């Protein structure tokens, strides 16, 4: 059996938070949404660049990507997922997450599927500029089926 | 905004907050939100080395650590911090901000010693709720061979109904693991 030590420490953050002054939660959240709006343009420009870089990496990788190429595609998709939903493009973020899932699974088996990757890239483009007729849920369900077809349950 | 009282006042003006995120956009989102919350001292770090230097040079009250999923840098930093012996930084609240996590990194993410994991995309409401939650935390830290971090046994429901507590109180460390 390993030795286990239980250590108690004061919660400094808690003591600091209740000091006089400060701002209300309402004000903090309102200001947060304002601040995020101020960086919307640059953030979405970065998302567009990341989509373009994924497309370039996929094209360069062909049917047999190297580990570095897989990592690049995964990392860029993960970045899109991390930011898109903050700016109202939740379905774009979910499609990017599905691409991460796909690349992760394919990496575990050492395989690759240019078709499955292509479907995801199309979805990224669709969700980046969705129109009113787009059935986003149906597209996402289709992406999940594509990932499952490779043998991995949807995460 | 479950759990948030809009009229509650929060004072983070003097809080020293470390933000570790290799993603420029991710860093931008977190620092904009923290600034709105009143944080004036956000220490931005793009690499684990930068984060270590900050942790070694100043007292920190909160850490937001972005996990990029494809490598273990973020988890390595939290593990290093918990075992660093730095007082009080080794015990500062750490939120792991996580996107997709590779299958092979899931266990590391879970066991690195962070207080909480917040899933991306991060909304200001969720982040603030979590900060307020962790600020009230009274969990002790557990140190053993394979883990150093907040006690993960958060639901102490006591003995079964009709039965008395049979354990002796833990009067002093060490406590042998079951």
């Amino acid at each position: 059996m390993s030795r286990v030590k239980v250590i108690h420490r004061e919660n400094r953050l808690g003591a600091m938070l209740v000091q006089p002054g400060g701002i209300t939660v309402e004000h903090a959240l309102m200001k947060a949404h304002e601040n995020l709006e101020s960086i919307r343009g640059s953030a979405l420009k970065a998302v567009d660049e990341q989509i373009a870089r994924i497309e370039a990496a996929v094209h360069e990788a062909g049917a047999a990507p190297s580990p570095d190429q897989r990592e690049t595609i995964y990392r860029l998709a993960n970045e899109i997922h991390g930011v898109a939903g903050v700016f109202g493009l939740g379905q774009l973020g979910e499609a990017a997450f599905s691409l991460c899932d796909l690349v992760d699974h394919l990496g575990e088996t050492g395989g690759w599927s240019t078709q499955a990757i292509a479907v995801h890239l199309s979805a990224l483009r669709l969700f980046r500029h969705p129109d009113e007729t787009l059935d986003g849920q149906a597209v996402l369900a289709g992406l999940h089926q594509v990932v499952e077809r490779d043998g991995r349950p949807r995460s | 905004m479950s759990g948030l009282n809009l009229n509650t006042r929060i004072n983070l003006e003097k809080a020293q907050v470390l933000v570790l995120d290799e993603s420029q956009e991710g860093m931008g989102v977190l620092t904009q939100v923290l600034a709105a919350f009143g944080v004036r001292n956000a220490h931005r770090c793009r690499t684990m080395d930068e984060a270590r230097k900050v942790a070694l040079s100043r007292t920190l009250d909160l850490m937001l650590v972005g996990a990029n999923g494809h490598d273990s840098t973020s988890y390595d930093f939290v593990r290093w911090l918990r075992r660093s012996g730095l007082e009080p930084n080794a015990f500062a609240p750490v939120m792991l901000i996580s996107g997709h996590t590779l299958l092979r990194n899931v266990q590391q993410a879970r066991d690195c010693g962070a207080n909480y994991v917040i899933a991306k995309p991060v909304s200001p409401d969720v982040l603030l709720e979590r900060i307020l939650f962790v600020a009230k935390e009274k969990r002790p830290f557990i140190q053993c061979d394979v883990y150093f971090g907040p006690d993960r046994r958060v639901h102490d429901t006591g003995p079964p109904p009709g039965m008395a507590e049979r354990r002796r109180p833990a009067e002093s460390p060490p406590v042998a693991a079951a």
Side-chain angles (χ1 to χ4, degrees):
Chain A
M1 288 184 289
S2 67
R3 288 169 69 86
V4 177
K5 199 171 168 186
V6 181
I7 305 169
H8 294 270
R9 286 289 184 277
E10 178 199 2
N11 190 330
R12 295 167 42 86
L13 184 65
M16 180 174 295
L17 212 60
V18 297
Q19 292 298 303
I23 55 177
T24 62
V25 164
E26 182 177 23
H27 179 87
L29 293 176
M30 187 178 67
K31 187 77 178 125
H33 288 288
E34 281 177 13
N35 285 5
L36 288 176
E37 270 309 298
S38 74
I39 61 169
R40 170 186 286 273
S42 59
L44 291 183
K45 185 177 171 204
V47 165
D48 289 334
E49 288 167 359
Q50 284 151 2
I51 292 175
R53 285 170 64 194
I54 290 176
E55 289 184 332
V58 166
H59 179 73
E60 188 186 319
S66 66
D68 282 350
Q69 286 168 330
R70 288 175 192 264
E71 183 182 306
T72 295
I73 294 166
Y74 177 89
R75 181 172 47 79
L76 290 167
N78 213 356
E79 293 211 23
I80 293 170
H81 161 68
V83 170
V86 177
F87 299 99
L89 294 173
Q91 291 183 329
L92 172 59
E94 288 188 59
F97 189 94
S98 182
L99 179 54
C100 287
D101 242 4
L102 177 66
V103 173
D104 184 15
H105 168 69
L106 291 171
E108 291 283 312
T109 60
W112 193 244
S113 169
T114 50
Q115 278 189 324
I117 296 290
V119 163
H120 278 78
L121 289 182
S122 295
L124 292 184
R125 282 285 178 206
L126 268 176
F127 284 128
R128 175 61 185 95
H129 298 286
D131 65 35
E132 294 170 351
T133 63
L134 178 64
D135 186 346
Q137 287 307 315
V139 173
L140 289 172
L143 294 181
H144 295 140
Q145 284 180 351
V146 166
V147 175
E148 282 198 29
R149 195 177 59 203
D150 285 297
R152 183 182 186 278
R154 176 170 168 241
S155 63
Chain B
M1 284 187 290
S2 64
L4 283 176
N5 180 335
L6 295 180
N7 296 318
T8 298
R9 294 193 78 86
I10 56 171
N11 193 339
L12 291 167
E13 289 172 8
K14 293 185 180 164
Q16 301 283 336
V17 181
L18 180 148
V19 185
L20 169 58
D21 201 326
E22 68 167 29
S23 158
Q24 187 171 338
E25 288 69 43
M27 176 72 77
V29 167
L30 290 176
T31 52
Q32 286 293 336
V33 172
L34 288 174
F37 291 171
V39 172
R40 295 182 183 171
N41 303 291
H43 304 280
R44 306 177 193 205
C45 305
R46 298 291 299 274
T47 66
M48 182 168 161
D49 280 345
E50 287 176 18
R52 272 184 174 160
K53 283 179 186 158
V54 171
L56 286 167
S57 63
R58 60 181 70 243
T59 296
L60 295 163
D61 304 299
L62 174 66
M63 300 189 215
L64 304 185
V65 178
N68 61 33
H70 71 269
D71 67 25
S72 60
T73 300
S74 310
Y75 321 127
D76 290 342
F77 171 72
V78 181
R79 265 198 305 274
W80 167 83
L81 177 76
R82 294 301 190 215
R83 290 163 173 77
S84 64
L86 293 170
E87 289 277 4
N89 287 352
F91 304 94
V94 175
M95 310 277 211
L96 206 60
I97 317 285
S98 181
H100 187 279
T101 302
L102 286 174
L103 288 165
R104 64 175 186 266
N105 286 339
V106 166
Q107 184 153 355
Q108 285 198 74
R110 194 192 65 199
D111 296 343
C112 66
N115 291 67
Y116 293 105
V117 178
I118 301 177
K120 286 182 183 177
V122 177
S123 80
D125 307 58
V126 168
L127 183 58
L128 183 54
E129 190 175 36
R130 282 291 171 209
I131 289 174
L132 296 180
F133 194 77
V134 81
K136 293 181 191 169
E137 206 166 74
K138 292 178 168 38
R139 282 190 286 172
F141 279 72
I142 301 296
Q143 181 183 5
C144 66
D145 290 349
V146 297
Y147 177 74
F148 191 158
D151 189 348
R152 292 184 286 193
R153 298 168 300 171
V154 292
H155 297 295
D156 181 6
T157 56
M163 293 182 67
E165 173 65 69
R166 294 184 294 181
R167 292 169 295 179
R168 288 195 306 279
E171 292 174 351
S172 62
V175 176

